[in-house]
Amino acid sequence: MNLSSYEGPRNGDYVAYVDQLMRASPEYRRTLRSIDGAIQTAVVTPGSQGASPMSQLRNGLQKARDMAEQAQQMQGARSTAGGRAVQRPAAARRQDAAVTKQEAQQRFKTMEREIEAQKAGTGRKPWVSPGSLALIVGGVILSQFIQGFGVLLALMGLMSAVGGVLRRLQGR
């Protein structure tokens, strides 16, 4: 390394300096393009499985970004009337940008809720929990040897099963 042409990091920011050096490398750019291509082919490749929550989120975010860009383009088209530029106050432009950001955030939250609802829908809970059934069966078996304790376990399991069914019915 030629020390006379050496440019060190500005203000001791070594991370930014190393990142800048890496981004200047053609191998780094080539690697990023190949990773991007692999991700795109993995997303495009059809499969028998449904879309994962991450891919659903990615698609939803892409749609939201496209919609926000279209809204900005439409606002830009509105601001130029008849080929001449109409000057709008900066506060009004910022307010329009804030509205689009709010709309994008709202859409993002809606998509998150939909994905969470889909996740919750896939994990169906049984009407009677396995723990309740184990207590009932264990209590019946133990009642043959230790009558009081076995009956107590069976009653606890039965009460737990009835409570689970009632909770399930109240939830509907």
Side-chain angles (χ1 to χ4, degrees):
M1 175 179 3
N2 187 1
L3 294 179
S4 64
S5 66
Y6 172 72
E7 279 190 38
R10 307 262 189 258
N11 299 326
D13 190 0
Y14 286 95
V15 174
Y17 179 68
V18 170
D19 186 50
Q20 180 184 8
L21 288 176
M22 283 180 54
R23 289 184 188 275
S25 167
E27 289 86 17
Y28 178 78
R29 283 180 262 151
R30 198 172 322 130
T31 304
L32 275 181
R33 276 187 294 227
S34 66
I35 290 172
D36 288 341
I39 289 173
Q40 290 298 324
T41 56
V43 170
V44 174
T45 305
S48 61
Q49 297 178 354
S52 70
M54 284 303 292
S55 65
Q56 290 174 355
L57 181 62
R58 184 183 314 119
N59 292 339
L61 289 174
Q62 181 68 32
K63 288 178 186 176
R65 188 178 84 188
D66 292 342
M67 290 172 67
E69 288 174 356
Q70 288 175 355
Q72 287 178 349
Q73 289 174 355
M74 290 175 60
Q75 288 174 357
R78 280 189 225 140
S79 67
T80 57
R84 61 173 207 244
V86 175
Q87 291 294 336
R88 294 176 38 198
R93 287 191 301 257
R94 279 193 300 261
Q95 185 179 10
D96 288 344
V99 169
T100 59
K101 286 180 185 177
Q102 290 173 352
E103 289 173 356
Q105 288 174 348
Q106 186 66 27
R107 289 181 186 134
F108 178 74
K109 288 178 184 177
T110 303
M111 286 184 281
E112 280 183 335
R113 279 188 232 116
E114 288 174 359
I115 291 171
E116 291 298 324
Q118 287 177 356
K119 283 184 190 176
T122 59
R124 292 185 147 188
K125 293 185 178 181
W127 284 73
V128 179
S129 71
S132 301
L133 293 176
L135 280 176
I136 293 171
V137 171
V140 169
I141 292 172
L142 282 178
S143 68
Q144 301 298 320
F145 305 106
I146 309 169
Q147 290 182 355
F149 185 66
V151 171
L152 181 67
L153 280 179
L155 283 175
M156 285 175 51
L158 183 63
M159 291 172 64
S160 175
V162 169
V165 169
L166 289 176
R167 266 186 263 124
R168 180 79 180 243
L169 289 173
Q170 287 176 351
R172 287 187 174 213

